[in-house]
Amino acid sequence: MPFRDEPLLTLTYTLTTADALAYEALPRELVGWRKWLLLVWLAVAGGLVAFLPAEWLGPEWGWRFWLVALALVGIAYALAATVMTLATHRRARRRIPAPMVVTLEQWGDHLAVTTAERQLFIAYETIADVAIGKSHVFITAPPEALIVPLTAFADRDEMTAFGEDIDRLSHQAAP
């Protein structure tokens, strides 16, 4: 590939906490200690049924017994979901605490990202995942996550084409 002294594509856009929230809210599998903590939390909630008065539960293994056990587990799950949602919002605020202007340049062998605080270079072979959402392209190159909102493009088709191009380039560059 011949040397180029200008990028293939330059995008300038503003990122907000809402964009970070879109990234942080991507579906992910619970793993490790978080998964075990949730399972133990739900088991403890279900086990509380053993400490409730028999008048509340009715006959053992009867319909009221199961209804109360299900209600306890449901309440525990709702509390866990609330805590996880609050943690997602906190991570988003930590990732982008205030609106920031980002300049993204696509070069033949890497992406260059410039913000007021720093400059970052992401080689295509370091990209682990490219996710194309309804209104964002998320490029993950651990430990970094690059968020490119729809507002950086003329339309959704251009955004999708960009995401697919970066995904293709990252797969081609992977060893």
Side-chain angles (χ1 to χ4, degrees):
M1 175 179 269
F3 176 75
R4 294 181 59 114
D5 61 350
E6 60 184 49
L8 302 169
L9 175 69
T10 301
L11 301 170
T12 301
Y13 52 91
T14 301
L15 279 181
T16 65
T17 304
D19 297 312
L21 184 59
Y23 172 74
E24 295 295 342
L26 285 174
R28 292 178 179 86
E29 181 181 355
L30 272 180
V31 292
W33 67 270
R34 288 177 179 91
K35 178 180 181 178
W36 287 107
L37 181 62
L38 177 63
L39 292 174
V40 168
W41 172 253
L42 295 176
V44 166
L48 286 177
V49 109
F51 299 101
L52 294 177
E55 305 82 52
W56 292 8
L57 302 174
E60 192 170 337
W61 309 112
W63 68 269
R64 275 194 345 209
F65 174 87
W66 288 110
L67 186 64
V68 170
L70 184 62
L72 288 173
V73 171
I75 290 167
Y77 183 79
L79 287 172
T82 301
V83 168
M84 288 186 285
T85 300
L86 292 173
T88 299
H89 283 266
R90 192 179 91 240
R91 283 192 313 270
R93 281 191 307 276
R94 195 176 312 141
R95 184 174 293 278
I96 302 175
M100 70 170 65
V101 176
V102 178
T103 301
L104 169 64
E105 296 176 339
Q106 180 182 2
W107 293 83
D109 62 344
H110 70 280
L111 298 172
V113 183
T114 306
T115 65
E117 294 85 32
R118 66 184 186 147
Q119 190 169 22
L120 171 70
F121 298 98
I122 300 173
Y124 291 133
E125 61 267 14
T126 64
I127 295 175
D129 184 44
V130 177
I132 303 168
K134 292 180 185 176
S135 59
H136 294 85
V137 173
F138 304 106
I139 301 169
T140 307
E144 302 295 334
L146 178 59
I147 303 167
V148 187
L150 177 60
T151 57
F153 303 95
D155 59 18
R156 189 171 193 301
D157 292 335
E158 189 178 315
M159 181 189 80
T160 302
F162 171 78
E164 289 170 351
D165 188 40
I166 298 299
D167 193 35
R168 178 185 56 78
L169 290 169
S170 71
H171 283 93
Q172 288 175 350

